[in-house]
Structure formats: structure tokens, C-alpha cells
Amino acid sequence: MTVRNSVTPRAAGEVSNYDIETDVLVVGYGAAGASAAFEAAYAGAQVLVVDRAGGAGGASAMSGGEIYLGGGTPIQTACGYDDSPEAMAAFLKAALGAGADAAKIDEYSAGSVEHFHWLVDRGVPFKPTMWDAPTWVPPTDDGLMWLGENSWPFTELAAPAPRGHRPTANDFGGRLLMECLSTAAESAGAATLFDTYVSALIVADDGTVTGAVARRYGMELTIRARRGIVLTTGGFVDNDDMLAAHAPQLLGHTKVSAGTDDGSGIRMAQALGAAVRHMNAGQVGMSLIPGLAARGMVVNALGRRFVNEDTYPGRIGQHALYRQNMGGSWAGDDTAVWVIVDEHGFEDVPEPQRWGVQPTHVAETPAELESLTGLPAGALTAAIARYNEFAARGQDLDHHKSTRWLRPLTPPLAAIDVKAGVRPPSESGDRRGTGASVFTLGGLHTDLDGHVLTLDGKPIPGLFAAGRAANGLHGFGYISGTSLGDGTFFGRRAGTAAARRA
Amino acid sequence: MTVRNSVTPRAAGEVSNYDIETDVLVVGYGAAGASAAFEAAYAGAQVLVVDRAGGAGGASAMSGGEIYLGGGTPIQTACGYDDSPEAMAAFLKAALGAGADAAKIDEYSAGSVEHFHWLVDRGVPFKPTMWDAPTWVPPTDDGLMWLGENSWPFTELAAPAPRGHRPTANDFGGRLLMECLSTAAESAGAATLFDTYVSALIVADDGTVTGAVARRYGMELTIRARRGIVLTTGGFVDNDDMLAAHAPQLLGHTKVSAGTDDGSGIRMAQALGAAVRHMNAGQVGMSLIPGLAARGMVVNALGRRFVNEDTYPGRIGQHALYRQNMGGSWAGDDTAVWVIVDEHGFEDVPEPQRWGVQPTHVAETPAELESLTGLPAGALTAAIARYNEFAARGQDLDHHKSTRWLRPLTPPLAAIDVKAGVRPPSESGDRRGTGASVFTLGGLHTDLDGHVLTLDGKPIPGLFAAGRAANGLHGFGYISGTSLGDGTFFGRRAGTAAARRA
């Protein structure tokens, strides 16, 4: 057990002196924190943003920058897609899994076009062109992409429209997004303090959160927040004790974070009696090339398909990790996951989009591929025959892959082990791992204004949260862009609500 | 959202008068509460046990009464089985899933023989005879049974020994167990108060829990506990808000409880800043006859096997609900689960042990059975062919079912829909449901003495928990008898520790 900072709250009566005073304290300077800081400052409050790192960014800056937006944005319209808040909400309620927050999804969908304009006004550029194929990150600067809306079962539940909005950038867009948002926050008047780790909250006798205790270069700092504190400290993927207690399926995989997602904000608020939701849930980025997967089959260690390969790739990953036992968190074998593709499908994906992925094995027959991969004799042969039968009839009866991607697989065949990893074209070296990169979705229970709620469902006075410190929109499902999306959207709400507190 | 009682703690300074005073207050009178009450009274403390119901019992009294015991009990020895605490601990660490509490499992296994004798001394009878076949509840009064120890993958991880210990009873043994334990507690001097619902804790300025607020016939009662409070209030399967927030997979299924598992103890302690673990986890009792399943195949809606059918039946259920999407909590189709068995296998299970289960469909060929069940054309035919091939070679390469149960399936064949339900021979009427009966495993984080721990991992002074209000031994896996097992074992510890507090 790692020794961690105490999150036991400090009684306000025990704090004789405050090193710093502000109206609104924002803890954590990723996309949610920057959005909260901007709105709080814009509403006229004195704002201080602190981060344990040496600058703004957090996990947001390392991300692809996709933001889940819809309901009829100018980018959607320019690309020829109709959308409505209702269709967007219907998709999210299904895709974000059982237990998703329906009220937040409705609010988020209804406010999405406004939020798009707010982002544009903060300088975030979106190009009105469409990337129309399964991928993690398009190799272009196209501003719009599908995130599973056009895949089963969602096609049967909501009118499909692409809603993955991407800042125009040469590489991952998260850095650019953070530059725009932090510039906006600071231009609006928010002050910043870096290398500062907030470890506990200060609480008045009546339960109001009035400040925080922090550590900076080994010195303790006390910070008074006259109007409120917004926790935007991120999730807890960097805290293995918390993973073991809540989301053991995520242990041992590559952590998607800036190394600082230790759950501190979640724990500080829980120590005050805050409620949490869906602490078991996680996003699973699988080391596969979605374009290759869509053109072939994804199979488990029994040589069986388990999901439509043209769906949002994070859904393939969640199925693999939580349901197919990739990683071995359920008693039994840690399952392998293979992408099976033929030469035609492999070549159909341009080399730069393959991110260095090579076939692990190549064979002239399914039986030879079974032998090379160690998949059970007969299983892959049967799976390919069944898949090709579906392709011939133009209907995937088992997993409902779109006919667009359903084509018979003909030798030579390749098997790609997802545990062999992928790497950006710019990197070299071995990327072999568990096949998955993960972060957590569970967190504090908040209302539509970002108030952190108690076990009784009542706001804790003076305490707000947004981003992955909160559970946000999510059940146990995930879609790219909903983290930056709900973090910025409800971060703004939290900043405004904190600034307006008397 | 259901309106619930406030769990916000009451400040001791605001309580001017106590209606009742005692040394140790035990909240909830199931097996854990009775065990805690006995030990606290035995240690010399004045003890009061309160329950919201009209008498002792809770979910414990409705259970089969199995207690997971081993390490070389007299019953194991009499039945010819060797066992060791180490083998028991190795099995439990695998079977109770990733994130299981290794320290608690070691302690529980090392103390298991002593705990067996304690139960016998309290009057719980165990017959030294063995029931040697997969079942939920043996149709006999045999005192010992397997609970998956002799099934893959556990056979590869720990020396197998049967550890399901059953009180000698004509029917489910839970009622008898509760009679023994409540008689013991009350004979040792514990007082009882029924129809009393504890809704919040009373807390001193220094964080010590000093009492509780309760409601009885519409009147508020304040209870002072001079030494400590033991929360044995059960899990939260009866609280749909908590299920939606933490374990949405369990929503909508039959609830295994006395109707009072609303999570009140968990919430009361969380409101003080207590930590919880594995709130997503649940036991899944599937409506299948384990003896029929072991003699056949269990398949999902794609006609595929997904687990060795001779394993602990709750493991089949967890796989179906959490991994095969029975219940439909993952986006996509709510999967069907079918038991496929041939006439020989069906007749091989004596009629009384079939609990009224009849074939849903009977067919002369696999293809006909596919057509009757609506399973995908070819899938069941292929699955049966593969299974029969494994039977012929004497090795189940896919799911590792023991050769004891591996026999070719020959027509006529039957398919049994688990959603058609099962019913005890004594009952009549329609039992059709979701195919699953569930309860929760997540709960308060406690140490080996039952202290409830804060987010910082420190004991909350004066507060203890045991039974399903605590997470106990469990990760997200489950084995029958570990609830009554850890509830009674750590309930005793908690009662002793509370009584000894100065």
C-alpha cells in the first residue's frame, strides 16, 4: 500500500492564517479546469487555478482533442449531416452504458451547438471536412468523424450523425485545445499557480467548503476560497490502490494520463461525505488499427468474433477487457485478441495509417493461421467460413457489421496480435504491452451546475467538480470526446455557479 | 428518484438526550449481527441489537445456509478430504476475483477450523457426509459439498477440497443457522429491539461515532453507544438508485434479500467519509439446474458455450450477466442463455432435483433445435459437433469441463431457457423472469477487526461493519458460503473489538 497524502478535511477553525485568498479556486488545469476558470473569471470572480504540474495541460493536452458535439453544429451542416439534440441524446444514452446520467446527457445535447460556438470563440479551430472511416485519430486535419454512431446497435436506436469534432492540428489536437482554453482563462483574468498539490479541503462547522490545504516545494500553503472550489483533478488511473478497490480490470495496462491522475480530488470530496458513481468504469484504447479491424475480423483466444468490428474502437476495447477477459481479471486465461485480415484488406489501408503495425503471422490457409497463432484447431477456420458466408449474403447475422465493411476474407491471411502494440509513425522501438491503454470514468456525483453531491443527494456548499474527477455523463460505456466534452461543458457550468455563490 | 432517509451525520453536541444507552450497538440482525452481538456480549459488554424487521433473520435466514469453511475441518476429514489453509486461501484469491482482499482471505482461511468449532459450539449441526455433484442446494442433508474447487481454472491454482459446509436441515439451512446464532447472542446477554430503523450516525467533534438516530413506529429514538457501533445492515440490492450508480448490471433482476437491503449502513458510513470497495460486484444466481448444466452445454444467444458447465453455478451466472450480456446492460441485445441437454442427461438427474424444470423445446436434430430456439442457423449444430468431438477425445479444449461430465450429446435434444425460471418442488405457478437472482458484494472497507476505514485507510473511531454492509473478502467474484462465512467470521471480530474499546 502506497503511503498517500491524507485527505482528511481540515476544520476551518483550526486554520489561523491563509497564505492565499481568492474567490474561486480551481484545482487542476486541464480542459475542465480551464473552462471553469474562464467562466468564473468572466462572471467577475477572482480566480486562481492551481496545478501540481509545472503548467497547464494534464491528460487533456495529451489527448487527440476530439470533443463530442452535435445537435446540428455548423461543421455537421457543412459536411452534409442533419442532426438533432434528441438524436444525440438517444445515442449517448445507449453508448455511455447502463447507469448513464440521462439528465446530464439531455442538458449536454441541448447545449451542444452553443458549446461549439463557445469553443470557436475561444479560438479552437474546426475544419468543415469529414473523415469517413473507422479510426482512432484521422491522419488528416478533417474536423468531423464518426464515433460509432453509424454502427450497430446504435443505428437501430438513434438517427446516425457523426459528432466527433476535432480541432485542426497537425498532430493530436489536445495540446492546441489546451492552449486555446488556458489562454482564454488567463485572458479573462484567472491567475495561475503551478507545482502546487492540493491535498485536503478546509471545511467550516456548517459543512461549507471554504478553502484547501496545498503543498508547494515541501511547504504547506493554505488557500481560502471565498465563493467556491472547483475540483478538476482528473480520474484515478495513476492510483493502483484505487484501481484495485474499484476497477481491478484496469490494473496493469498502459495508463492514459499525465501521470498525475491519482484520484486526489475524488478522495478529498469523499472524505467529506461526497457520493461517487461508476467507479468500475473505464475507457479502453485497444492497440489495434480500426481501419484494419473494420476490414477483417477481431477474434478472442477461442478464435471467435465478439463485436462488430466497424464500431467505435473503444467499444471493441471495452468488450475485450471487461467481457473477453483480455488482461485476465476474471479467473481463467488472459485472452488473446487477434485482428484477422487478408492481403486485400491490409493493403487497402494506406501504410501511414497503419502506424507501424505489421502482421504477426501470415498464412495461406485458415488452418495454417490457427497453427501459427495457437488458436484452437478448427475454430478460426469455422469463424472465417461463417464470416465469408455472411459477406456473401450481405448480412452479418452474428454481430451486425455494416455491409460497407463486410467482404469475404481470402488468402493470404494475416493475424495481428493486439498485444504487439501500435506506435505513431514518428516513433520507433518496441511497443509490446497488454494491448490496452486505459483511464477511469468513475468519479464524484455532481448536479447540472457541477455541485458535488452528498450521499443524500444535496450539494456540499462551496464544492464543485468537473472533468474526470466527476462521473459526468457516463455509465460504464464510453465514446471519444465525451471526456473533453463533458469536462468543458460542465466545467463551464461549475465555474459560473462557483462565481455566483454569495 | 426515491426519497430516502437522510444519512447526514448528527453532531453529538446537538443531541441533548439519549433514549437508549448501551456499550455496543449492533445495527442489523442477520448472521453477521448475531455473531457480533454474541462476541461483544461474551466479552462483557452491554449489547443492543436493533433490526428494522420484526425479528432476527434478514437475508441470512432466507439463504441456503452454506458457510465456506476449510483448512481441515472435522467434516472434511470425515468425508476423506485433506485440506490446508493455504489451499483454501489460494482458491479464494482466484475465485473471489481481481481485487479480492488477500489479507482478509489469509486470516479467514487460517481461522476457519476454529470458526467451524465456534459454529458447532453455538449449536449449528453439520453432518459428516458429502454431496458430490454440481447443485445449488443438495436435495439431502449432506453437510459438505463442492463449490467449484474441483473445476477449471481452480484445479490448476489450488489443491481441490470441498468446502461448502451446510447446516443439517430439511430445507434451506439459513433459518436454522439464524436460530442458533440469535439464540447464542441473546443467551450471552444481548438485548434486542425490533421494528427500529437506524438512519444516521451520531458523531463527536473528534470524529468518534458515539451513537445513532433511529425511527420506531414514526418516533425518533436516539441511541448512545459507549464503546462502538457495528453496522451489519446488509448490501444494497433493494436500493435501485444505488444499483444504477454502482452496479447497473444488477438492475431489474430478482433481488435476493429480505427486502431491507437498502444500503443504509453503507451510506451512513460513507457520509462520514468511509471508503467503499467493489460496489459494482454482485452474486448472480442463475435459474438453471446445475446438474443438468453439467451434463450438457450452456450457450448464449449465438449458440456458443462460454464457461465450463461443471463449475460453481454462480460463476456461470456472473459470466452470463457481466460478460454475455444477459439482462442487456451492455449496448446490444439482451442475450438468451440456454441449457442444451440430451434425453440421457436429463433423465440422469432425478426428477425432484430438477425443481420443476421442463425442456422448453425438444428436437430430433441440432438444426431443428436451432429453428425452435431461434439460435443462429448452424451455430448450435457447430457447437454440439465441437462438444461431441471434445467428449470423444476426453478433453474440453475450449472450456476445460471435467471429463467426469463430458459425454457426447445425442438426440433427442432439449433446450431449456433459463429465463423460464426454476421453482422449488413445493411451489407452483409461473417463475419466468430474467433468469437471474442477485445481491450485491460491494460495501464498506474494513480492516481485520472490522473497523470501518476512512479514505486515508484509518479506522473511524467507534465504527465497525461486517456482513454485506462491508466488502469483506470479495473482489468481483463470488462463491456460495463466503457471505455467511465472512459475515460470521469478521462479525465476531468486530463484536470483540467493539466490546474492548475503552
Side-chain angles (χ1 to χ4, degrees):
Chain A
M1 176 90 64
T2 318
V3 176
R4 300 202 173 269
N5 295 291
S6 169
V7 293
T8 300
R10 188 84 56 98
E14 290 173 22
V15 181
S16 53
N17 171 61
Y18 287 94
D19 299 297
I20 301 172
E21 303 209 6
T22 185
D23 289 336
V24 175
L25 173 66
V26 177
V27 185
Y29 202 4
S35 301
F38 170 85
E39 292 288 4
Y42 188 79
Q46 185 186 5
V47 178
L48 176 67
V49 194
V50 301
D51 198 285
R52 61 188 292 185
S60 302
M62 303 174 64
S63 74
E66 298 92 6
I67 304 186
Y68 201 81
L69 298 164
T73 68
I75 304 297
Q76 290 180 308
T77 305
C79 293
Y81 293 97
D82 285 331
D83 196 12
S84 70
E86 293 72 25
M88 179 176 173
F91 172 75
L92 286 174
K93 285 172 193 175
L96 298 186
D101 190 323
K104 280 206 186 79
I105 288 173
D106 287 337
E107 188 84 355
Y108 179 78
S109 302
S112 192
V113 171
E114 186 278 337
H115 192 52
F116 169 85
H117 288 295
W118 180 87
L119 289 161
V120 170
D121 289 347
R122 303 289 82 72
V124 184
F126 296 100
K127 196 174 155 193
T129 56
M130 176 74 191
W131 174 264
D132 181 22
T135 185
W136 283 113
V137 180
T140 61
D141 62 0
D142 292 319
L144 191 64
M145 64 188 289
W146 293 103
L147 289 170
E149 302 92 339
N150 59 344
S151 73
W152 187 90
F154 310 112
T155 43
E156 298 184 2
L157 303 170
R163 301 190 189 93
H165 284 65
R166 306 177 56 230
T168 313
N170 288 325
D171 202 342
F172 277 33
R175 171 58 58 193
L176 173 65
L177 174 71
M178 272 312 302
E179 280 167 12
C180 294
L181 296 181
S182 58
T183 300
E186 292 166 42
S187 301
T192 58
L193 183 68
F194 297 110
D195 303 311
T196 302
Y197 183 72
V198 171
S199 59
L201 299 169
I202 298 173
V203 187
D205 280 351
D206 68 356
T208 302
V209 174
T210 58
V213 179
R215 208 179 52 235
R216 187 161 199 261
Y217 304 137
M219 306 264 290
E220 184 177 288
L221 281 180
T222 50
I223 307 172
R224 185 174 169 212
R226 287 178 288 256
R227 300 194 196 171
I229 293 184
V230 186
L231 298 170
T232 56
T233 45
F236 59 93
V237 75
D238 292 311
N239 184 328
D240 279 355
D241 292 338
M242 286 182 78
L243 291 182
H246 305 296
Q249 293 93 342
L250 304 181
L251 274 169
H253 299 285
T254 301
K255 297 167 188 298
V256 177
S257 79
T260 56
D261 284 351
D262 67 351
S264 60
I266 298 171
R267 295 174 66 240
M268 278 186 263
Q270 279 189 290
L272 288 183
V276 294
R277 291 171 66 87
H278 300 304
M279 295 290 278
N280 184 248
Q283 150 72 351
V284 181
M286 232 168 92
S287 307
L288 55 69
I289 304 301
L292 292 175
R295 288 167 173 84
M297 312 194 311
V298 176
V299 301
N300 66 13
L302 293 178
R304 297 171 177 172
R305 296 174 68 212
F306 53 88
V307 68
N308 43 332
E309 296 86 352
D310 62 335
T311 194
Y312 166 62
R315 188 162 163 260
I316 304 177
Q318 275 202 331
H319 278 236
L321 201 71
Y322 285 88
R323 296 179 57 179
Q324 301 300 320
N325 208 25
M326 187 173 87
S329 58
W330 289 86
D333 294 331
D334 175 4
T335 203
V337 174
W338 297 91
V339 177
I340 308 294
V341 67
D342 64 9
E343 188 171 29
H344 175 92
F346 192 82
E347 299 293 342
D348 199 33
V349 178
E351 199 275 334
Q353 295 174 34
R354 285 187 237 128
W355 282 50
V357 162
Q358 293 297 328
T360 313
H361 303 288
V362 178
E364 286 302 322
T365 64
E368 190 189 345
L369 207 56
E370 282 166 0
S371 162
L372 290 168
T373 53
L375 287 167
L380 194 56
T381 303
I384 292 174
R386 191 167 175 85
Y387 182 85
N388 286 352
E389 199 183 301
F390 291 158
R393 68 183 284 169
Q395 194 181 9
D396 172 6
L397 292 175
D398 283 348
H399 295 290
H400 314 283
K401 180 153 81 172
S402 160
T403 52
R404 177 173 171 194
W405 304 105
L406 199 58
R407 203 184 45 70
L409 300 174
T410 56
L413 300 165
I416 305 165
D417 179 358
V418 303
K419 296 184 185 179
V422 298
R423 56 175 176 76
S426 57
E427 284 183 21
S428 61
D430 188 14
R431 290 295 295 253
R432 191 169 178 85
T434 65
S437 304
V438 301
F439 61 86
T440 60
L441 302 174
L444 296 167
H445 186 24
T446 51
D447 68 12
L448 298 180
D449 281 324
H451 292 106
V452 175
L453 301 175
T454 65
L455 272 292
D456 285 341
K458 298 204 169 68
I460 296 176
L463 191 63
F464 302 81
R468 280 295 62 76
N471 179 229
L473 305 173
H474 302 86
F476 58 75
Y478 190 69
I479 290 294
S480 276
T482 57
S483 259
L484 293 175
D486 78 356
T488 53
F489 186 91
F490 291 106
R492 293 176 58 200
R493 296 293 182 95
T496 301
R500 290 187 182 160
R501 263 189 89 239
Chain B
M1 175 92 62
T2 318
V3 176
R4 298 201 174 271
N5 296 290
S6 169
V7 292
T8 300
R10 188 84 55 98
E14 291 173 21
V15 181
S16 53
N17 171 60
Y18 287 94
D19 299 296
I20 301 171
E21 302 208 9
T22 185
D23 289 335
V24 175
L25 173 66
V26 178
V27 185
Y29 203 4
S35 301
F38 171 84
E39 292 289 4
Y42 188 79
Q46 184 186 6
V47 178
L48 175 67
V49 194
V50 302
D51 199 283
R52 63 188 292 184
S60 301
M62 303 174 63
S63 74
E66 298 91 7
I67 304 186
Y68 201 82
L69 297 165
T73 68
I75 303 297
Q76 290 180 306
T77 304
C79 293
Y81 294 97
D82 285 330
D83 196 12
S84 70
E86 292 72 26
M88 178 176 173
F91 171 74
L92 286 175
K93 285 172 194 175
L96 298 185
D101 190 323
K104 281 207 186 80
I105 287 173
D106 287 338
E107 189 84 356
Y108 179 78
S109 302
S112 192
V113 170
E114 185 278 337
H115 192 53
F116 169 85
H117 288 296
W118 180 86
L119 288 162
V120 170
D121 289 347
R122 303 289 81 71
V124 183
F126 297 99
K127 197 174 155 195
T129 56
M130 175 75 189
W131 174 263
D132 182 23
T135 186
W136 282 113
V137 181
T140 62
D141 61 359
D142 292 320
L144 191 63
M145 63 188 289
W146 294 103
L147 289 169
E149 302 92 340
N150 58 345
S151 73
W152 188 90
F154 310 111
T155 43
E156 298 184 3
L157 303 170
R163 300 191 189 92
H165 285 65
R166 306 178 54 231
T168 313
N170 288 325
D171 202 343
F172 277 32
R175 170 60 56 193
L176 173 65
L177 175 70
M178 271 312 302
E179 280 167 13
C180 294
L181 297 180
S182 58
T183 300
E186 291 165 42
S187 301
T192 58
L193 183 68
F194 298 109
D195 303 309
T196 302
Y197 183 72
V198 171
S199 59
L201 298 169
I202 298 172
V203 187
D205 280 351
D206 68 355
T208 303
V209 174
T210 57
V213 179
R215 208 180 53 235
R216 187 161 198 262
Y217 305 135
M219 307 263 291
E220 184 177 289
L221 280 180
T222 50
I223 307 172
R224 185 174 168 213
R226 286 179 289 257
R227 300 194 197 170
I229 293 185
V230 186
L231 297 170
T232 56
T233 45
F236 58 93
V237 75
D238 291 312
N239 184 329
D240 279 355
D241 293 338
M242 287 181 78
L243 291 182
H246 306 297
Q249 294 93 341
L250 304 181
L251 274 170
H253 299 285
T254 301
K255 296 167 187 299
V256 177
S257 79
T260 56
D261 283 351
D262 67 351
S264 60
I266 298 171
R267 295 174 66 241
M268 279 186 264
Q270 279 189 291
L272 289 182
V276 293
R277 291 171 64 88
H278 301 305
M279 295 290 279
N280 183 247
Q283 150 72 352
V284 181
M286 232 168 91
S287 308
L288 55 69
I289 304 301
L292 291 175
R295 287 167 174 86
M297 311 195 311
V298 176
V299 301
N300 66 13
L302 294 178
R304 298 172 177 171
R305 295 174 68 211
F306 54 88
V307 68
N308 43 332
E309 296 87 351
D310 62 334
T311 195
Y312 167 62
R315 187 163 163 260
I316 304 177
Q318 275 202 331
H319 278 237
L321 200 71
Y322 285 88
R323 297 179 57 181
Q324 301 299 319
N325 208 24
M326 187 173 86
S329 58
W330 290 85
D333 295 330
D334 175 4
T335 203
V337 174
W338 297 92
V339 176
I340 309 294
V341 68
D342 64 7
E343 187 171 29
H344 176 92
F346 191 82
E347 299 294 341
D348 199 32
V349 178
E351 199 276 334
Q353 295 174 35
R354 286 188 235 127
W355 282 50
V357 162
Q358 294 296 330
T360 313
H361 303 287
V362 178
E364 286 301 323
T365 66
E368 189 188 345
L369 207 56
E370 282 166 0
S371 162
L372 289 167
T373 53
L375 286 167
L380 194 57
T381 303
I384 292 174
R386 191 167 175 84
Y387 182 86
N388 286 351
E389 199 183 302
F390 291 158
R393 69 182 284 169
Q395 194 181 10
D396 172 7
L397 292 175
D398 284 347
H399 295 289
H400 314 283
K401 181 154 81 174
S402 160
T403 51
R404 177 173 170 193
W405 304 105
L406 199 58
R407 202 184 45 73
L409 299 174
T410 55
L413 300 165
I416 304 165
D417 179 357
V418 303
K419 296 185 186 178
V422 298
R423 57 175 178 75
S426 57
E427 285 183 21
S428 61
D430 188 14
R431 291 294 295 253
R432 189 167 179 86
T434 64
S437 304
V438 302
F439 61 86
T440 61
L441 302 174
L444 296 167
H445 187 24
T446 52
D447 68 11
L448 298 180
D449 280 324
H451 292 107
V452 175
L453 302 175
T454 66
L455 273 292
D456 285 341
K458 297 204 170 65
I460 297 176
L463 191 62
F464 302 81
R468 281 293 62 76
N471 178 229
L473 306 172
H474 302 86
F476 57 76
Y478 190 69
I479 290 294
S480 276
T482 58
S483 259
L484 293 175
D486 77 357
T488 53
F489 187 90
F490 291 106
R492 293 175 59 200
R493 296 293 182 94
T496 302
R500 289 187 182 160
R501 263 188 88 240

